[in-house]
Structures are given as structure tokens and as C-alpha cells.
Amino acid sequence: MAKFIIRGGKPLNGEIAISGAKNAALPMLAASLLTKERIVYHNVPQLLDIFTIKKLLLKLGVNMSETDPLIVQAERITNHCAPYELVRTMRASILVLGPLLAREGKACVSLPGGCAIGARPVDLHLRGLSEMGADIVLEKGYIKAKAKYLKGTEIYLDIPTVTGTENLMMAATLAKGETVLKNAAREPEVVALAKMLKDMGAEIKGEGTDTIVIKGVEGLSGTICSIIPDRIEAGTYMVAVAITGGRARFKNCCLEHLGAVIKKLKEAGVKITKVSNGVEILAPKEIKSTDVTTLPYPGFPTDMQAQFMALMCLSNGVSVITERIFENRFMHVLELKRMGADIKIDGASAVVRGVPKLMGAPVVATDLRASASLVLAGLAAEGITEVDRIYHLDRGYEKMELKLKALGAEIERVAV
Ligand code: EPU
């Protein structure tokens, strides 16, 4: 176990590069199961969650190089089971279900349990696959699915689930006939996966809209792909610059994927300017309060809610932050309050009254983005903040302390 020790109050200045997106890399790695051929991945971030999916793919019999670029080949799948030990540490392991079932006609995946941010069921993944003809039973905590072949059909998703859309889209590439996914997720990570699948020979239309049409094909080939920049990492560091009163440049940052985040940061007074090969962030003299509601893309991402709340803690007024995606994603609130924040939770909303300063404190969070918000608060706070259980951060932020140090932050990782 390790923790971060942060001495706050230093404006962040300088330049960093944004890494490949965790939530794009995970489904794209799972998609390697759809073909016998080699897939070459560039710009894969070095993260705990990526190591977990690699471990899972190795367990299924996939060959993999350790080098960058990452080369993956699922010539033969020798095992069809994603065990509880791995799914427990990373829910996104469910992403192997669709590809395994489509290519092999069988899969066994541990049912993910509850999660720190909400119940997070996978019923829509399962219902979609059943509608495509899969026979699914739950046995001793495992999803056991089989199908002679999957057949295309029209599927309506009650909620535009991101990994659900990805799982069904992958399954449909090798199904017989046409699958229409209605109320599909429109996230850039879904579009990136569709692009990769199309490069492998899949027939997909409508990605990035709420209706995706997939015509099943006989087989898919290998490809070379590159992981898109992580929009949540970029947004997190934008807040880091804004909250510390700094000025910085980010390379490899895709502004088109950050529409709602940029709009809200601008409302808060942050200046964000496109420059060659990236973006420049300039903090405001005074952080303006602004309301935010999380929604599916292109709405404001739930994965940026906690970080934005840290910023609003130091605003000049009152902001109402409403969480519409997950029912329990305010775990950072009590910890921010321990640093001097004034926040009241009212159902799905948090009412944040800006305070003139935050004070360093020992804090701990129970999920990735909540932990990020505590690091941001610590960077701005007076004195020392200790953020414990940073394995949550290691799941989704590549070299976080090194990037923050490159911007001039005083942050150390210490073993405990
Ligand atoms: N939902 C259902 N049934 C389902 C699937 C989802 O009720 O079968 C509900 C969920 O409980 C939730 C809502 O639908 O209330 C949306 O969940 P979604 O399925 O879209 O989330 P996810 O696919 O499990 C991905 C990201 C999350 C991100 C959410 C929302 C990956 C690997 N994970 O999760 O990322 O918060 O979409 O944008 O892509 C993170 O990176 O910190 C993270 C949690």
C-alpha cells in the first residue's frame, strides 16, 4: 500500500502529455478475442486496470508481447472463464463476455458485485445477448452463456450503458444478420472501439449516435490501432491547473471529446486555448461558481464530477452539483469536508458553498475519481494532505505524481 503526501499551495506551470484513455483501451483489448490474427496497439497507458485485463486475456490463452507497442494475438482461446478474483478487482472484465460468446459460442464470467459508486448491474448486457439468441444462466456467482451462433436483432437499451453498448457491438460483429442497438452510448470510447472493429473488417454504422447498426460478418482480421487520448485525465489536470492558479500546456489532448467539461471550466473562469499539438490552460484570478449535472455523453461526464466539485469548493459562490449516472458517487464529499469544504448533500445533488481556502488533512477515498478530487484539493490546500489508498489512482492515472511534479507540484509517493 502507498499514499501520496502533498504540500499544497503551489501554482502548477509547465507542460505534460496526456496518456491513452483507460476506458478506450479496455474494450479495444477485449476486442482482440474476436480474431485469430495479430493486433498491434499503440499508446496503451500503463495502468493497473490495463494490467488486469492483460492478465485476464493471458488466462484465456491469448499471446501478448510485453513491448510498446503492445502486440496481442488470440490465435486459440484455451479457457472461457473470467474468474471472480479478476472481475472483483475490475468490473470492466465483463467486456470479454460479448467477444467470447461471439467467437467461441460459450463464455463464463464472474458476475460483478456491487461497487463503491453504485449497484452497477449488468442486466442490460445480458438481456441484449439473450435477445441475440444466447442461453444465459447464473450459477454460483457466474454468468454462464452459450449460443450455437448469435443472431442479429433490434435491441433497445433502457439506459445508454457504455460497456453494455461496447459488449453488444463486439458480439454483433460476428452475429448472423443485422443488429440495431437503440439508445446506444455515444461516448468517444465507443466510437474508438467501432473504428477499430471496422478496421478489422466489421460492418458498423451510426457509432457516435444513439442508433448503431452492425451487420455481422464471417470473420475479422488483425489491425494496427492507437488508443485515443484520455479525456478524463485531461479534464482532471485542467482542474489541477485551475485550482492552483497556474498556467500549463497539455500535449496529445483531444478538445473535441471535452465539450461539456470545457464549457463548465470556462463558466468557472478558466481560459482554455487550442495551441499547436495541444491546449493551454490558464487559471482564473477568482473561481466562479457554476452548476453541473452529470449525463451520458455529450453531457458532463460523471467521471469528472468529483474533480469539478473540488474546484467548486474554492469558488466565489454556491454551486449545485447533480449526479445522474451513479447513485452513490459522493464518497469524496465527507473527505473534502475534512479539508474545510462546505458541502451539503440533498438527494442526488450536492450544494457546494465556496470557501476562501482548504486545509491539508489525511484523507482516503474509495474510488478512482473520488481519489483524484482529493489530490486536486490537496494541491490547492494550505499545508500537507495525505491521500491514502492510492491504488485507486493507479488504476486509472498513468504516472500521476510524475506528471504533477513535472508541473511543479510537491507530491511524493510513500510506502505505508
Ligand atoms: N446500468 C444498468 N444496467 C446495466 C448497465 C448499466 O442499470 O446493464 C446502469 C449503471 O448502474 C449506471 C448507468 O447504467 O447507473 C450507466 O452505467 P454504464 O454501464 O454506462 O457504466 P459502465 O459501462 O459500467 C463506464 C466507465 C465508467 C464510467 C461510466 C459512465 C469503462 C470501463 N467504465 O462504466 O468509468 O463512469 O461508463 O460514463 O468504460 C472510471 O473510469 O472511473 C469509471 C467508473
Coordinates of all heavy atoms in Angstrom, one line a residue, residues 178-269:
E178 N -28.3 -8.6 -39.1 CA -28.1 -7.2 -38.6 C -28.6 -7.0 -37.2 O -29.7 -7.4 -36.8 CB -28.9 -6.3 -39.6 CG -28.6 -4.9 -39.4 CD -29.4 -4.0 -40.5 OE1 -28.8 -3.8 -41.6 OE2 -30.5 -3.6 -40.2
T179 N -27.8 -6.3 -36.4 CA -28.1 -5.9 -35.1 C -28.3 -4.4 -35.1 O -27.5 -3.7 -35.6 CB -27.1 -6.3 -34.0 OG1 -26.8 -7.7 -34.2 CG2 -27.5 -6.0 -32.6
V180 N -29.4 -3.9 -34.5 CA -29.6 -2.5 -34.3 C -29.6 -2.2 -32.8 O -30.5 -2.7 -32.1 CB -30.9 -2.0 -35.0 CG1 -31.1 -0.5 -34.8 CG2 -31.0 -2.5 -36.4
L181 N -28.7 -1.4 -32.4 CA -28.6 -1.0 -30.9 C -29.3 0.3 -30.8 O -28.7 1.3 -31.3 CB -27.2 -0.9 -30.5 CG -26.4 -2.2 -30.3 CD1 -25.0 -1.9 -29.9 CD2 -27.1 -3.2 -29.4
K182 N -30.4 0.4 -30.1 CA -31.1 1.7 -29.9 C -30.8 2.2 -28.6 O -30.7 1.4 -27.6 CB -32.6 1.5 -30.2 CG -32.9 1.1 -31.6 CD -34.1 1.8 -32.1 CE -34.1 1.9 -33.6 NZ -35.5 1.9 -34.1
N183 N -30.8 3.5 -28.5 CA -30.4 4.2 -27.2 C -29.0 3.8 -26.8 O -28.7 3.6 -25.6 CB -31.4 4.0 -26.1 CG -31.3 5.0 -25.0 OD1 -30.9 6.2 -25.2 ND2 -31.6 4.6 -23.8
A184 N -28.1 3.7 -27.8 CA -26.7 3.3 -27.5 C -26.0 4.4 -26.9 O -26.3 5.6 -27.1 CB -26.1 2.9 -28.9
A185 N -24.9 4.1 -26.2 CA -24.0 5.1 -25.7 C -23.2 5.8 -26.8 O -22.9 5.2 -27.8 CB -23.0 4.5 -24.7
R186 N -23.0 7.1 -26.7 CA -22.3 7.9 -27.7 C -20.9 8.3 -27.4 O -20.3 9.1 -28.0 CB -23.2 9.1 -28.0 CG -24.5 8.7 -28.6 CD -25.3 10.0 -29.0 NE -26.0 10.5 -27.8 CZ -26.6 11.7 -27.7 NH1 -26.6 12.5 -28.8 NH2 -27.2 12.1 -26.6
E187 N -20.4 7.8 -26.3 CA -19.1 8.2 -25.8 C -18.0 8.0 -26.8 O -18.0 7.1 -27.6 CB -18.7 7.4 -24.5 CG -19.1 7.9 -23.2 CD -20.7 7.9 -23.0 OE1 -21.4 7.4 -23.8 OE2 -21.1 8.4 -21.9
P188 N -17.0 8.9 -26.8 CA -15.8 8.8 -27.8 C -15.2 7.4 -27.7 O -14.6 6.9 -28.7 CB -14.8 9.8 -27.3 CG -15.7 10.8 -26.5 CD -16.8 10.1 -25.9
E189 N -15.2 6.7 -26.5 CA -14.6 5.4 -26.4 C -15.3 4.4 -27.2 O -14.8 3.4 -27.7 CB -14.5 5.0 -24.9 CG -13.6 5.9 -24.0 CD -14.2 7.3 -23.7 OE1 -15.4 7.5 -23.8 OE2 -13.4 8.2 -23.3
V190 N -16.7 4.6 -27.3 CA -17.5 3.6 -28.1 C -17.1 3.8 -29.6 O -17.0 2.9 -30.4 CB -19.0 3.9 -27.9 CG1 -19.9 3.1 -28.8 CG2 -19.4 3.7 -26.4
V191 N -17.0 5.1 -30.0 CA -16.6 5.4 -31.4 C -15.2 4.9 -31.7 O -15.0 4.3 -32.8 CB -16.7 7.0 -31.6 CG1 -16.2 7.3 -33.0 CG2 -18.1 7.5 -31.3
A192 N -14.3 5.0 -30.7 CA -12.9 4.5 -31.0 C -13.0 3.0 -31.2 O -12.3 2.4 -32.0 CB -12.0 4.8 -29.8
L193 N -13.8 2.3 -30.4 CA -13.9 0.8 -30.5 C -14.5 0.5 -31.9 O -14.0 -0.5 -32.6 CB -14.8 0.2 -29.4 CG -15.1 -1.3 -29.5 CD1 -13.8 -2.1 -29.4 CD2 -16.1 -1.7 -28.4
A194 N -15.6 1.2 -32.3 CA -16.2 0.9 -33.6 C -15.2 1.1 -34.7 O -15.1 0.3 -35.6 CB -17.4 1.9 -33.8
K195 N -14.4 2.1 -34.6 CA -13.4 2.4 -35.6 C -12.4 1.2 -35.7 O -12.1 0.7 -36.8 CB -12.6 3.7 -35.3 CG -11.5 4.0 -36.3 CD -10.8 5.2 -36.1 CE -9.7 5.4 -37.2 NZ -8.9 4.3 -37.5
M196 N -12.0 0.7 -34.6 CA -11.0 -0.4 -34.6 C -11.7 -1.6 -35.2 O -11.1 -2.3 -36.0 CB -10.6 -0.7 -33.1 CG -9.8 -2.0 -33.0 SD -9.7 -2.5 -31.3 CE -8.8 -4.0 -31.5
L197 N -13.0 -1.9 -34.8 CA -13.7 -3.1 -35.3 C -13.8 -3.0 -36.8 O -13.7 -3.9 -37.6 CB -15.0 -3.2 -34.6 CG -15.0 -3.6 -33.1 CD1 -16.4 -3.4 -32.5 CD2 -14.4 -5.0 -32.9
K198 N -14.1 -1.7 -37.3 CA -14.3 -1.5 -38.7 C -13.0 -1.8 -39.5 O -12.9 -2.4 -40.5 CB -14.8 -0.1 -39.0 CG -16.3 0.0 -38.6 CD -17.0 1.0 -39.4 CE -16.8 2.4 -38.8 NZ -17.8 3.4 -39.4
D199 N -11.9 -1.4 -38.8 CA -10.5 -1.6 -39.4 C -10.3 -3.1 -39.5 O -9.5 -3.6 -40.3 CB -9.4 -0.9 -38.6 CG -9.5 0.6 -38.8 OD1 -10.1 1.0 -39.8 OD2 -8.9 1.3 -38.0
M200 N -10.9 -3.9 -38.6 CA -10.8 -5.4 -38.6 C -11.7 -6.0 -39.6 O -11.7 -7.3 -39.7 CB -11.0 -5.9 -37.2 CG -10.0 -5.5 -36.1 SD -10.6 -5.8 -34.4 CE -10.5 -7.6 -34.3
G201 N -12.6 -5.2 -40.2 CA -13.5 -5.8 -41.2 C -14.9 -5.8 -40.8 O -15.8 -6.3 -41.5
A202 N -15.2 -5.3 -39.6 CA -16.6 -5.3 -39.2 C -17.4 -4.2 -40.0 O -16.9 -3.2 -40.5 CB -16.7 -5.0 -37.7
E203 N -18.7 -4.5 -40.1 CA -19.6 -3.5 -40.8 C -20.5 -2.8 -39.8 O -21.4 -3.4 -39.2 CB -20.5 -4.3 -41.8 CG -19.7 -4.7 -43.0 CD -20.5 -5.2 -44.2 OE1 -21.7 -4.7 -44.3 OE2 -20.0 -6.1 -44.9
I204 N -20.1 -1.6 -39.5 CA -20.8 -0.8 -38.4 C -21.1 0.6 -38.9 O -20.3 1.2 -39.6 CB -19.9 -0.7 -37.1 CG1 -19.4 -2.1 -36.6 CG2 -20.6 0.1 -36.0 CD1 -18.5 -2.0 -35.5
K205 N -22.3 1.0 -38.6 CA -22.7 2.4 -39.0 C -23.4 3.0 -37.8 O -24.1 2.3 -37.0 CB -23.8 2.3 -40.1 CG -23.2 2.1 -41.4 CD -24.1 2.5 -42.6 CE -23.4 2.2 -43.9 NZ -24.2 1.2 -44.7
G206 N -23.3 4.3 -37.7 CA -24.0 5.0 -36.7 C -23.4 5.2 -35.3 O -23.9 5.8 -34.4
E207 N -22.1 4.8 -35.2 CA -21.4 5.0 -33.9 C -21.3 6.5 -33.7 O -21.1 7.3 -34.6 CB -20.0 4.3 -33.9 CG -19.0 4.9 -34.9 CD -19.1 4.4 -36.3 OE1 -20.1 3.8 -36.7 OE2 -18.1 4.6 -37.0
G208 N -21.4 6.8 -32.4 CA -21.4 8.3 -32.1 C -22.8 8.9 -32.1 O -23.1 10.0 -31.7
T209 N -23.8 8.0 -32.6 CA -25.2 8.4 -32.5 C -25.9 7.4 -31.5 O -25.3 6.5 -31.1 CB -26.0 8.4 -33.8 OG1 -26.2 7.0 -34.2 CG2 -25.1 9.1 -34.9
D210 N -27.2 7.6 -31.3 CA -27.9 6.7 -30.4 C -28.4 5.4 -31.1 O -29.0 4.6 -30.4 CB -29.0 7.4 -29.6 CG -30.1 7.9 -30.5 OD1 -30.0 7.7 -31.7 OD2 -31.1 8.5 -30.0
T211 N -28.2 5.3 -32.4 CA -28.5 4.1 -33.1 C -27.3 3.5 -33.8 O -26.8 4.2 -34.8 CB -29.7 4.3 -34.0 OG1 -30.8 4.9 -33.3 CG2 -30.2 3.0 -34.7
I212 N -26.9 2.4 -33.4 CA -25.7 1.8 -34.1 C -26.2 0.5 -34.8 O -26.9 -0.3 -34.2 CB -24.6 1.4 -33.0 CG1 -24.2 2.6 -32.2 CG2 -23.4 0.8 -33.8 CD1 -23.1 2.3 -31.1
V213 N -25.8 0.4 -36.1 CA -26.3 -0.7 -36.9 C -25.0 -1.6 -37.2 O -24.1 -1.0 -37.7 CB -27.0 -0.3 -38.2 CG1 -27.5 -1.5 -39.0 CG2 -28.2 0.6 -37.8
I214 N -25.1 -2.9 -36.9 CA -24.0 -3.7 -37.1 C -24.4 -4.9 -38.0 O -25.3 -5.6 -37.6 CB -23.4 -4.3 -35.8 CG1 -23.1 -3.1 -34.8 CG2 -22.1 -5.1 -36.0 CD1 -24.0 -3.2 -33.6
K215 N -23.8 -5.1 -39.1 CA -24.1 -6.2 -40.0 C -23.0 -7.3 -39.7 O -21.8 -7.0 -39.8 CB -24.0 -5.8 -41.4 CG -25.2 -6.0 -42.2 CD -25.0 -5.8 -43.6 CE -26.2 -5.0 -44.2 NZ -25.9 -4.2 -45.3
G216 N -23.4 -8.4 -39.2 CA -22.5 -9.5 -38.9 C -21.7 -9.9 -40.1 O -22.2 -9.9 -41.2
V217 N -20.4 -10.3 -39.9 CA -19.5 -10.8 -40.9 C -19.0 -12.1 -40.5 O -19.1 -12.5 -39.3 CB -18.3 -9.8 -41.2 CG1 -18.8 -8.5 -41.8 CG2 -17.5 -9.5 -39.9
E218 N -18.4 -12.9 -41.5 CA -17.9 -14.2 -41.2 C -16.7 -14.3 -40.2 O -16.6 -15.2 -39.4 CB -17.5 -14.9 -42.5 CG -18.6 -15.4 -43.4 CD -19.4 -16.5 -42.7 OE1 -18.7 -17.4 -42.1 OE2 -20.7 -16.5 -42.7
G219 N -15.8 -13.3 -40.4 CA -14.6 -13.3 -39.6 C -14.0 -11.9 -39.6 O -14.3 -11.1 -40.4
L220 N -13.1 -11.7 -38.6 CA -12.5 -10.4 -38.5 C -10.9 -10.6 -38.6 O -10.5 -11.7 -38.3 CB -12.8 -9.7 -37.2 CG -14.3 -9.3 -37.0 CD1 -14.5 -8.7 -35.6 CD2 -14.7 -8.2 -38.0
S221 N -10.2 -9.6 -39.1 CA -8.8 -9.7 -39.2 C -8.1 -8.9 -38.2 O -8.7 -8.2 -37.4 CB -8.4 -9.3 -40.6 OG -8.8 -7.9 -40.8
G222 N -6.7 -9.0 -38.2 CA -5.9 -8.2 -37.3 C -5.9 -6.7 -37.7 O -6.4 -6.4 -38.8
T223 N -5.3 -5.9 -36.9 CA -5.2 -4.5 -37.3 C -4.1 -3.8 -36.4 O -3.6 -4.4 -35.5 CB -6.6 -3.7 -37.1 OG1 -6.5 -2.4 -37.6 CG2 -7.0 -3.6 -35.6
I224 N -3.9 -2.5 -36.8 CA -2.9 -1.7 -36.0 C -3.8 -0.5 -35.5 O -4.5 0.1 -36.3 CB -1.8 -1.2 -36.9 CG1 -1.0 -2.4 -37.4 CG2 -0.9 -0.3 -36.1 CD1 0.1 -2.0 -38.4
C225 N -3.8 -0.3 -34.2 CA -4.6 0.8 -33.7 C -3.9 1.6 -32.7 O -2.8 1.2 -32.2 CB -5.9 0.3 -33.2 SG -5.7 -0.9 -31.9
S226 N -4.4 2.8 -32.4 CA -3.8 3.7 -31.4 C -4.9 4.1 -30.5 O -6.0 4.5 -30.9 CB -3.2 4.9 -32.1 OG -2.5 5.7 -31.2
I227 N -4.6 4.1 -29.2 CA -5.6 4.5 -28.2 C -5.8 6.0 -28.2 O -4.8 6.7 -28.1 CB -5.2 4.0 -26.8 CG1 -4.8 2.5 -26.8 CG2 -6.3 4.3 -25.7 CD1 -5.9 1.5 -27.2
I228 N -7.0 6.5 -28.2 CA -7.3 7.9 -28.1 C -6.8 8.5 -26.8 O -6.8 7.8 -25.8 CB -8.8 8.2 -28.4 CG1 -9.7 7.5 -27.3 CG2 -9.2 7.9 -29.8 CD1 -11.1 7.9 -27.3
P229 N -6.6 9.8 -26.8 CA -6.2 10.5 -25.5 C -7.3 10.4 -24.5 O -8.5 10.4 -24.8 CB -5.9 11.9 -25.9 CG -5.8 11.9 -27.4 CD -6.6 10.8 -27.9
D230 N -6.9 10.3 -23.2 CA -7.8 10.1 -22.1 C -8.4 11.5 -21.8 O -7.8 12.4 -21.2 CB -7.0 9.6 -20.9 CG -8.0 9.0 -19.8 OD1 -9.0 9.7 -19.6 OD2 -7.7 7.9 -19.3
R231 N -9.7 11.6 -22.1 CA -10.4 12.9 -21.9 C -10.6 13.2 -20.4 O -10.6 14.3 -19.9 CB -11.7 13.0 -22.6 CG -12.7 11.9 -22.2 CD -13.9 11.8 -23.1 NE -14.7 10.6 -22.8 CZ -15.8 10.6 -22.2 NH1 -16.4 11.8 -21.8 NH2 -16.5 9.5 -21.9
I232 N -10.7 12.1 -19.6 CA -10.9 12.3 -18.1 C -9.6 12.7 -17.5 O -9.5 13.6 -16.6 CB -11.5 11.1 -17.5 CG1 -12.8 10.7 -18.2 CG2 -11.7 11.3 -16.0 CD1 -13.9 11.7 -18.2
E233 N -8.5 12.1 -17.9 CA -7.2 12.5 -17.4 C -6.9 14.0 -17.7 O -6.5 14.8 -16.9 CB -6.1 11.6 -18.0 CG -4.7 11.9 -17.3 CD -3.5 11.5 -18.1 OE1 -3.6 11.3 -19.3 OE2 -2.4 11.3 -17.4
A234 N -7.2 14.4 -19.0 CA -7.0 15.8 -19.4 C -7.9 16.7 -18.6 O -7.4 17.7 -18.1 CB -7.4 15.9 -20.9
G235 N -9.1 16.3 -18.4 CA -10.0 17.2 -17.6 C -9.5 17.3 -16.1 O -9.6 18.4 -15.5
T236 N -9.0 16.2 -15.6 CA -8.5 16.2 -14.2 C -7.4 17.2 -14.1 O -7.3 18.0 -13.2 CB -8.1 14.8 -13.8 OG1 -9.2 13.9 -14.0 CG2 -7.6 14.7 -12.4
Y237 N -6.4 17.1 -15.0 CA -5.3 18.0 -15.0 C -5.7 19.5 -15.3 O -5.0 20.4 -14.8 CB -4.1 17.5 -15.8 CG -3.5 16.2 -15.3 CD1 -3.2 15.2 -16.1 CD2 -3.3 16.1 -13.9 CE1 -2.7 14.0 -15.6 CE2 -2.8 14.9 -13.4 CZ -2.5 13.9 -14.2 OH -2.0 12.7 -13.7
M238 N -6.7 19.7 -16.1 CA -7.2 21.0 -16.3 C -7.7 21.6 -15.0 O -7.4 22.8 -14.7 CB -8.4 21.0 -17.3 CG -8.0 20.8 -18.7 SD -9.4 20.8 -19.8 CE -8.6 20.6 -21.4
V239 N -8.4 20.8 -14.2 CA -8.8 21.3 -12.9 C -7.6 21.5 -12.0 O -7.6 22.5 -11.2 CB -9.8 20.3 -12.2 CG1 -10.1 20.7 -10.8 CG2 -11.1 20.2 -13.1
A240 N -6.6 20.7 -12.1 CA -5.4 20.8 -11.3 C -4.7 22.2 -11.5 O -4.3 22.9 -10.6 CB -4.4 19.7 -11.5
V241 N -4.7 22.6 -12.8 CA -4.1 23.9 -13.1 C -5.0 25.0 -12.6 O -4.6 26.0 -12.0 CB -3.9 24.0 -14.6 CG1 -3.4 25.4 -15.0 CG2 -2.9 22.9 -15.1
A242 N -6.3 24.9 -12.8 CA -7.3 25.9 -12.5 C -7.3 26.1 -10.9 O -7.3 27.2 -10.4 CB -8.7 25.5 -13.0
I243 N -7.3 25.0 -10.2 CA -7.5 25.1 -8.7 C -6.2 25.7 -8.0 O -6.3 26.2 -6.9 CB -7.9 23.7 -8.2 CG1 -8.6 23.8 -6.8 CG2 -6.7 22.8 -8.0 CD1 -9.2 22.5 -6.4
T244 N -5.1 25.5 -8.7 CA -3.8 26.0 -8.1 C -3.4 27.4 -8.6 O -2.4 27.9 -8.2 CB -2.6 25.1 -8.3 OG1 -2.5 24.9 -9.8 CG2 -2.9 23.7 -7.7
G245 N -4.2 28.0 -9.5 CA -3.9 29.3 -10.0 C -2.7 29.3 -11.0 O -2.0 30.2 -11.1
G246 N -2.6 28.2 -11.8 CA -1.5 28.0 -12.6 C -1.7 28.3 -14.1 O -2.8 28.8 -14.5
R247 N -0.8 27.9 -14.9 CA -0.9 28.0 -16.4 C -0.1 26.9 -17.0 O 1.1 26.7 -16.6 CB -0.3 29.4 -16.8 CG -0.2 29.6 -18.3 CD 0.5 30.8 -18.6 NE 0.0 31.3 -19.9 CZ -0.4 32.5 -20.2 NH1 -0.3 33.5 -19.3 NH2 -0.8 32.9 -21.4
A248 N -0.7 26.1 -17.8 CA 0.1 24.9 -18.3 C -0.4 24.5 -19.7 O -1.4 25.0 -20.2 CB -0.1 23.7 -17.4
R249 N 0.4 23.7 -20.4 CA 0.1 23.2 -21.7 C 0.0 21.7 -21.7 O 0.9 21.0 -21.0 CB 1.2 23.6 -22.7 CG 1.1 24.9 -23.2 CD 2.1 25.2 -24.3 NE 1.9 26.5 -24.8 CZ 2.0 26.9 -26.1 NH1 2.3 26.0 -27.0 NH2 1.8 28.1 -26.4
F250 N -1.0 21.2 -22.4 CA -1.1 19.7 -22.5 C -0.9 19.3 -23.9 O -1.6 19.8 -24.8 CB -2.5 19.2 -22.0 CG -2.9 19.6 -20.6 CD1 -4.2 19.5 -20.2 CD2 -1.9 20.0 -19.7 CE1 -4.5 19.8 -18.9 CE2 -2.3 20.3 -18.4 CZ -3.6 20.2 -18.0
K251 N 0.0 18.3 -24.1 CA 0.1 17.7 -25.5 C -0.8 16.5 -25.6 O -1.2 15.9 -24.5 CB 1.5 17.3 -25.7 CG 2.5 18.4 -26.0 CD 3.8 17.9 -26.5 CE 4.5 17.1 -25.4 NZ 5.9 16.8 -25.7
N252 N -1.2 16.1 -26.8 CA -2.0 14.9 -27.0 C -3.3 15.0 -26.3 O -3.7 14.0 -25.6 CB -1.2 13.7 -26.5 CG -1.8 12.4 -27.0 OD1 -2.4 12.4 -28.1 ND2 -1.7 11.3 -26.3
C253 N -4.0 16.1 -26.4 CA -5.3 16.3 -25.8 C -6.3 16.5 -26.8 O -6.1 17.4 -27.7 CB -5.1 17.5 -24.8 SG -6.6 18.0 -24.0
C254 N -7.4 15.8 -26.8 CA -8.5 16.0 -27.8 C -9.6 16.8 -27.3 O -10.5 16.3 -26.5 CB -9.0 14.6 -28.2 SG -10.2 14.7 -29.5
L255 N -9.6 18.1 -27.6 CA -10.6 19.0 -27.1 C -12.0 18.7 -27.6 O -13.0 18.9 -26.8 CB -10.3 20.5 -27.6 CG -9.1 21.1 -27.0 CD1 -9.0 22.6 -27.4 CD2 -9.2 21.1 -25.4
E256 N -12.2 18.0 -28.7 CA -13.5 17.7 -29.3 C -14.2 16.7 -28.3 O -15.4 16.7 -28.2 CB -13.4 17.0 -30.6 CG -12.9 17.9 -31.8 CD -11.4 18.2 -31.7 OE1 -10.6 17.3 -31.4 OE2 -11.1 19.4 -31.9
H257 N -13.5 15.9 -27.5 CA -14.1 15.0 -26.6 C -14.4 15.6 -25.3 O -15.0 14.9 -24.4 CB -13.1 13.8 -26.4 CG -12.9 13.0 -27.6 ND1 -11.9 12.1 -27.7 CD2 -13.5 13.0 -28.8 CE1 -11.9 11.5 -28.9 NE2 -12.9 12.0 -29.6
L258 N -14.1 16.9 -25.1 CA -14.2 17.5 -23.8 C -15.2 18.7 -23.8 O -15.1 19.5 -22.9 CB -12.8 18.0 -23.4 CG -11.9 17.0 -22.7 CD1 -10.4 17.3 -23.0 CD2 -12.2 16.8 -21.3
G259 N -16.1 18.6 -24.7 CA -17.0 19.8 -24.9 C -17.7 20.3 -23.6 O -17.5 21.5 -23.2
A260 N -18.4 19.4 -22.9 CA -19.1 19.9 -21.7 C -18.2 20.3 -20.6 O -18.4 21.2 -19.9 CB -20.0 18.7 -21.2
V261 N -17.0 19.6 -20.5 CA -16.1 19.9 -19.4 C -15.5 21.3 -19.7 O -15.4 22.1 -18.8 CB -15.0 18.8 -19.4 CG1 -13.9 19.2 -18.4 CG2 -15.6 17.5 -19.0
I262 N -15.1 21.5 -20.9 CA -14.5 22.8 -21.3 C -15.6 24.0 -21.0 O -15.3 25.0 -20.5 CB -14.0 22.8 -22.7 CG1 -12.8 21.9 -22.7 CG2 -13.7 24.2 -23.2 CD1 -12.2 21.7 -24.1
K263 N -16.8 23.7 -21.4 CA -17.9 24.7 -21.3 C -18.0 25.1 -19.8 O -18.0 26.2 -19.4 CB -19.2 24.1 -21.8 CG -20.4 24.8 -21.5 CD -20.9 25.6 -22.7 CE -22.1 26.4 -22.5 NZ -22.7 26.6 -21.2
K264 N -18.0 24.1 -18.9 CA -18.1 24.3 -17.5 C -16.9 25.0 -16.9 O -17.0 25.9 -16.0 CB -18.5 23.0 -16.7 CG -19.9 22.6 -17.0 CD -20.9 23.5 -16.3 CE -22.2 23.5 -17.0 NZ -23.1 24.5 -16.4
L265 N -15.7 24.6 -17.3 CA -14.5 25.2 -16.8 C -14.4 26.7 -17.3 O -14.0 27.5 -16.5 CB -13.2 24.4 -17.3 CG -13.0 23.1 -16.6 CD1 -11.8 22.3 -17.3 CD2 -12.6 23.3 -15.1
K266 N -14.9 26.9 -18.5 CA -14.9 28.3 -19.0 C -15.9 29.1 -18.1 O -15.6 30.3 -17.8 CB -15.3 28.4 -20.4 CG -14.1 28.0 -21.3 CD -14.4 28.2 -22.8 CE -13.1 28.1 -23.6 NZ -13.3 28.0 -25.0
E267 N -17.0 28.5 -17.8 CA -18.0 29.2 -16.9 C -17.4 29.6 -15.6 O -17.7 30.5 -14.9 CB -19.3 28.4 -16.7 CG -20.3 28.5 -17.8 CD -21.5 27.6 -17.6 OE1 -21.9 27.4 -16.4 OE2 -22.1 27.1 -18.6
A268 N -16.5 28.7 -15.1 CA -15.8 28.9 -13.9 C -14.7 29.9 -14.0 O -14.0 30.3 -13.0 CB -15.2 27.6 -13.3
G269 N -14.4 30.4 -15.2 CA -13.4 31.4 -15.4 C -12.1 31.0 -16.0 O -11.2 31.8 -16.3

